[in-house]
Amino acid sequence: KVRTSKELLVKPQMPRFLREGDSGLLRVVVSNSGATELSGDVQLDILDSDSNSSLLVAFGVSQAVAAFTVQPGSSTTVQFPFHAPQALSSSNFKVIAKSGDLSDGELRPLPVLPSRLHLVQSRFVALKGKSHRKMEFQDLTVEDSSRINEQLVVSVDGQLFYGVLKALPYLVRYPYECTEQMCNRFVSTGIVMKLFDETPALAVMAKKLAERASQLEPWDGPDPNQKLLLEESPWMNLAQGNTSADDETEFARILDPAEAEHERDKALTKLQKSQTSSGGFPWYPGGPPSHYITLLLLDGFSRALEFGIPVPKEMVQKAWRFLSNYYHDECSQKLSTENYKNVSQFLTYLNYILSNYSDMEWTDGVFTDDDRARMLKASTDHWRDHSPRLKGYLALTMWRSNKQKDARMVWESVMDSAKTSEDEGTFWAPGDRSWLWYNDTIESHAFALRTTMEVFEGDARCQGLVQWLFMNKKLNHWKSTRTTAEVIFALAHYLRKENALAVREEAVVTLGNRSERFMFEPESFAGTKKQLVIPASELNPSMSVVEVSKDTPGIMFASSTWHFSTEKLPEEARGDFFQVSRKYFKRALNGEEWTLTPLLPGVKVEVGDQVEVQLLVRTKHAAEYVHLRDPRAAGFEPESTRSSFQWSLGGVGWFEEVRDSATNFFFESLPVGEFPFNYRLRASTAGIFRAGPAVIQSMYAPEFVAYSAGEQMEIK
């Protein structure tokens, strides 16, 4: 056996970094592995990384030499107090221990991060019809000698419908397609074609928008509000429109009217070939017919007919004959028994789709009036047990069966739980069973819009649902072609009815003594977002109130984003659509239980203690591609240095990335609500250290940002 050791060993215990203004104690451990006692001195020097000159004075080190005596086989510790100076980016800590002829030393780099905080406050408003709104930054009028204003960005989003049209995902040409995918292809391309036929100006506009070379709408353009580079996030490829996933992937650019027509006709031909001799449709061509797949396709065909898309009548009639046989063989006898619940959802859906075919020739008369009356009675008897989506199906079926009073009662039970706010529109808060219905999906809200327009014609909540759809598009990257196409058509019908489609839009922004007019012409698409950037040289407290006025029809969004830096830690959190708060707890084992003690004044944290960080994120609207960064005080080390994807009990997933000075959270999807996140630290260095505020920002819409309060933490 061979054993090597150094009789005198020195090991400084240093943090990974410092921030300007931090104060701490540098602990140096001196070890003696020899057989005799060692006495000597430990000398500290702090060197500039560039010039190699001494920085002891700058770090406030008055005594750079400490004596030590260490017994054989043991170790001792010496300490050097220091204070991190301003305007220094990097330094090297040099420690040398000497005892007689023995010596040992270590040289370590220690970066000093700026204490100046670059913060952003944002405000958001929605403008509907003729309206006047204000956005106020009270902190801009508060005196702060260390604050440096950087810029104020006012964004006005107009032509929101064109923005939705531009976001229509291109269809991917897959080598294998199920019948449901083929139907989606047929319906979505048909909807777009019908829209172009009805509004030629949109066809001209879409032809221009079809020039993009990616499947999805890219969102990687420069934005003065964006703080984190997309290259530092996991979403660079998606931000470019999903271009580099596979260079061989072919897209059907259905914003091009000619290509949309070609894809529609090709999909219809494939669907006709896949229909079996019994009239049913299989999941994949060549497979056995499925009653559920057939019903889904008939739903798609009814929607196509509603939008004026030509569908072969014989193909539809054969499918209804197949479903009629299934109904009489498997479902009819269960209507008046306790087994009705086993087929209730299917039959409510079936009767709704039957009501979509107002001309009985399309169903070939295979379902009699008595059949439909029995299904409707059974659905009505159990309507309270239905999910909200089924209630929508039932309400439309009732309405079309001349039961208007009952239809309004059923649909009002759904709309009664909806919320309406000035800036978010009309929406449903997610509940325990939100996966059944309104978990903030565009498909659900588009269906709610169409149902409300039919059952409650002229209801103001229709505009609220339209506003929510526009708001969802602003914060989310839509990836479903069929759903987006259906939303486009529903919005087009509503906006045309309100005389707000393809109209001139105008807004006036006023702040201080400055006024700017934003105009959006219907013949050209200038991008949904126009911005007014007030540079630091012009920004002053009189601009703390931003006013936006609009006299034209339709819905517009406006946001103001104030960028500034300060040496002062914020005492309170700031946010609007996003909010984030942070709390620290001392975690200790008492007996067999772990307890959390809030780090309030008087609670001591010592080196070696475990601290739990709890972040609470609140969102007013579902958002995608959200980044949360929580800076770490220099005197703490993360308990886990492993970066990984994680899930919460609430179903929220995120990628957690641990870095030297902070922990990053990347949320690909963040629903509405309040969500706690936590991680643990270990106190490693005594001193007083600054922790800047946690900051949350949408990467997709960078004007949505918030931050928590800052903290100054002491470790004994």
Side-chain angles (χ1 to χ4, degrees):
K1 293 182 179 180
V2 177
R3 179 175 178 269
T4 61
S5 63
K6 297 176 68 174
E7 291 186 55
L8 179 63
L9 178 67
V10 63
K11 184 178 180 180
Q13 296 182 346
M14 299 165 49
R16 295 172 184 258
F17 64 93
L18 293 173
R19 289 190 177 88
E20 295 171 346
D22 285 349
S23 299
L25 282 176
L26 173 64
R27 301 175 71 245
V28 181
V29 179
V30 182
S31 299
N32 178 7
S33 61
T36 59
E37 179 183 274
L38 295 178
S39 296
D41 295 323
V42 175
Q43 183 173 353
L44 168 68
D45 200 359
I46 306 175
L47 306 175
D48 185 280
S49 298
D50 297 323
S51 64
N52 212 34
S53 59
S54 178
L55 298 174
L56 287 174
V57 175
F59 274 84
V61 179
S62 58
Q63 185 66 37
V65 178
F68 70 87
T69 299
V70 56
Q71 299 300 318
S74 62
S75 60
T76 189
T77 302
V78 297
Q79 297 180 345
F80 298 94
F82 63 86
H83 181 83
Q86 302 285 328
L88 181 68
S89 60
S90 183
S91 61
N92 294 318
F93 275 55
K94 180 180 179 181
V95 178
I96 297 176
K98 292 183 179 180
S99 177
D101 295 333
L102 300 176
S103 67
D104 187 38
E106 193 164 327
L107 180 69
R108 283 198 200 174
L110 185 63
V112 179
L113 306 182
S115 60
R116 177 162 289 275
L117 304 169
H118 293 266
L119 300 175
V120 181
Q121 291 188 21
S122 67
R123 303 289 185 270
F124 176 87
V125 294
L127 299 102
K128 293 160 284 187
K130 184 177 181 179
S131 55
H132 179 87
R133 300 291 305 276
K134 291 183 179 181
M135 297 173 280
E136 186 173 358
F137 298 99
Q138 292 183 349
D139 289 347
L140 183 56
T141 63
V142 176
E143 185 65 28
D144 180 359
S145 58
S146 69
R147 187 177 69 221
I148 299 176
N149 291 322
E150 297 173 353
Q151 63 180 4
L152 179 67
V153 182
V154 182
S155 302
V156 177
D157 294 354
Q159 295 181 314
L160 299 177
F161 179 76
Y162 287 171
V164 173
L165 184 65
K166 180 175 179 287
L168 183 67
Y170 290 155
L171 290 167
V172 178
R173 292 192 175 100
Y174 292 114
Y176 306 104
E177 292 178 318
C178 67
T179 51
E180 184 186 5
Q181 286 178 336
M182 286 188 283
C183 184
N184 290 345
R185 186 180 296 267
F186 170 69
V187 173
S188 58
T189 50
I191 289 173
V192 173
M193 278 302 303
K194 183 62 177 178
L195 183 62
F196 294 159
D197 290 342
E198 292 186 353
T199 315
L202 288 181
V204 175
M205 181 70 64
K207 182 73 173 178
K208 298 176 183 178
L209 299 178
E211 296 174 356
R212 77 168 191 250
S214 59
Q215 179 200 2
L216 304 176
E217 175 195 19
W219 45 279
D220 60 340
D223 192 308
N225 291 319
Q226 192 163 287
K227 307 305 289 184
L228 179 76
L229 293 176
L230 281 167
E231 288 81 357
E232 298 181 61
S233 77
W235 306 310
M236 187 63 193
N237 179 43
L238 283 168
Q240 294 172 343
N242 200 26
T243 55
S244 60
D246 184 356
D247 293 336
E248 302 299 322
T249 300
E250 292 187 60
F251 304 122
R253 291 172 171 80
I254 58 176
L255 280 175
D256 185 327
E259 190 153 359
E261 183 177 12
H262 172 71
E263 288 294 327
R264 181 197 65 186
D265 296 342
K266 188 169 68 172
L268 180 58
T269 300
K270 289 183 178 180
L271 285 169
Q272 288 176 301
K273 290 181 178 179
S274 68
Q275 190 174 25
T276 63
S277 58
S278 65
F281 287 90
W283 184 24
Y284 276 88
S290 164
H291 63 277
Y292 186 69
I293 292 295
T294 303
L295 191 59
L296 281 178
L297 266 59
L298 284 171
D299 186 9
F301 296 149
S302 70
R303 196 160 297 137
L305 290 171
E306 177 189 350
F307 297 152
I309 304 167
V311 180
K313 184 178 292 187
E314 183 181 353
M315 180 178 67
V316 174
Q317 290 173 337
K318 287 177 61 179
W320 277 120
R321 286 195 289 271
F322 170 79
L323 281 177
S324 174
N325 292 333
Y326 175 79
Y327 166 76
H328 288 100
D329 293 343
E330 301 292 337
C331 305
S332 177
Q333 65 274 21
K334 297 179 181 178
L335 283 175
S336 57
T337 68
E338 293 183 356
N339 292 326
Y340 166 73
K341 289 186 177 181
N342 298 332
V343 294
S344 62
Q345 294 187 20
F346 178 80
L347 293 181
T348 301
Y349 186 37
L350 171 66
N351 210 11
Y352 157 71
I353 297 173
L354 279 167
S355 72
N356 289 345
Y357 293 87
S358 56
D359 186 348
M360 293 292 289
E361 285 190 19
W362 284 94
T363 63
D364 202 24
V366 293
F367 284 93
T368 65
D369 291 341
D370 182 61
D371 291 334
R372 297 183 62 176
R374 289 185 65 207
M375 285 189 283
L376 182 58
K377 183 181 183 305
S379 297
T380 304
D381 290 343
H382 301 276
W383 75 271
R384 297 181 188 278
D385 299 329
H386 288 337
S387 68
R389 184 65 174 253
L390 284 175
K391 288 178 182 177
Y393 293 151
L394 177 59
L396 289 173
T397 307
M398 288 174 165
W399 184 265
R400 296 161 185 173
S401 302
N402 295 319
K403 296 180 179 293
Q404 281 80 8
K405 183 178 179 180
D406 292 340
R408 289 193 180 100
M409 177 192 67
V410 170
W411 186 238
E412 185 59 44
S413 72
V414 176
M415 294 302 296
D416 187 55
S417 61
K419 299 180 179 180
T420 299
S421 74
E422 189 173 19
D423 292 324
E424 298 159 72
T426 300
F427 61 99
W428 285 267
D432 294 337
R433 303 181 69 192
S434 60
W435 54 272
L436 286 173
W437 161 242
Y438 37 67
N439 54 345
D440 287 340
T441 64
I442 58 173
E443 183 178 7
S444 299
H445 283 73
F447 176 78
L449 172 61
R450 292 172 55 223
T451 305
T452 306
M453 288 176 65
E454 185 170 344
V455 177
F456 295 115
E457 185 177 1
D459 195 299
R461 290 172 295 188
C462 289
Q463 186 185 47
L465 290 165
V466 170
Q467 181 182 340
W468 186 93
L469 288 166
F470 282 144
M471 191 69 213
N472 187 276
K473 174 62 197 74
K474 182 170 179 62
L475 282 163
N476 295 273
H477 201 203
W478 289 359
K479 306 178 187 68
S480 168
T481 306
R482 172 176 169 173
T483 302
T484 304
E486 292 186 15
V487 173
I488 286 172
F489 203 89
L491 289 174
H493 272 291
Y494 174 82
L495 295 174
R496 186 182 294 111
K497 185 178 179 181
E498 298 294 319
N499 296 317
L501 181 63
V503 297
R504 182 174 178 271
E505 300 177 31
E506 183 177 334
V508 178
V509 174
T510 305
L511 61 166
N513 58 1
R514 182 162 180 175
S515 181
E516 188 87 10
R517 186 177 300 274
F518 294 88
M519 290 183 291
F520 300 85
E521 300 294 343
E523 297 83 11
S524 61
F525 179 62
T528 56
K529 184 187 298 181
K530 288 189 176 183
Q531 293 178 326
L532 169 64
V533 180
I534 307 296
S537 58
E538 301 177 20
L539 188 55
N540 58 71
S542 69
M543 297 180 174
S544 62
V545 178
V546 180
E547 300 184 53
V548 187
S549 302
K550 184 173 81 74
D551 294 325
T552 54
I555 299 173
M556 297 178 73
F557 296 142
S559 62
S560 294
T561 312
W562 171 38
H563 300 250
F564 64 97
S565 66
T566 180
E567 295 282 351
K568 184 180 178 181
L569 289 170
E571 297 178 359
E572 297 178 350
R574 291 288 184 266
D576 190 3
F577 262 57
F578 292 152
Q579 293 182 345
V580 58
S581 61
R582 179 180 60 191
K583 293 182 179 180
Y584 295 94
F585 296 85
K586 181 178 179 180
R587 187 171 184 265
L589 183 63
N590 291 331
E592 297 182 355
E593 294 183 350
W594 288 94
T595 60
L596 297 178
T597 304
L599 289 188
L600 301 175
V603 178
K604 294 182 179 180
V605 176
E606 299 180 349
V607 172
D609 285 346
Q610 191 180 66
V611 171
E612 181 165 301
V613 184
Q614 294 188 2
L615 299 165
L616 187 64
V617 173
R618 299 179 181 87
T619 60
K620 290 184 179 180
H621 199 290
E624 291 181 336
Y625 312 119
V626 178
H627 172 231
L628 170 62
R629 183 179 186 273
D630 185 29
R632 185 167 57 252
F636 291 92
E637 284 290 310
E639 280 283 88
S640 172
T641 57
R642 181 172 174 263
S643 298
S644 62
F645 196 89
Q646 300 190 35
W647 290 92
S648 72
L649 293 176
V652 177
W654 70 93
F655 183 78
E656 187 170 320
E657 179 190 55
V658 182
R659 293 201 173 187
D660 284 342
S661 62
T663 299
N664 289 314
F665 300 79
F666 295 98
F667 304 94
E668 188 161 337
S669 177
L670 197 57
V672 176
E674 187 175 278
F675 306 98
F677 307 97
N678 63 75
Y679 64 97
R680 292 169 188 161
L681 304 173
R682 184 75 65 173
S684 60
T685 304
I688 300 174
F689 304 98
R690 290 164 55 100
V695 178
I696 186 170
Q697 184 177 35
S698 166
M699 300 289 290
Y700 188 71
E703 58 267 38
F704 293 95
V705 62
Y707 59 80
S708 71
E711 300 285 346
Q712 184 164 282
M713 308 188 69
E714 183 176 4
I715 303 175
K716 298 292 187 180

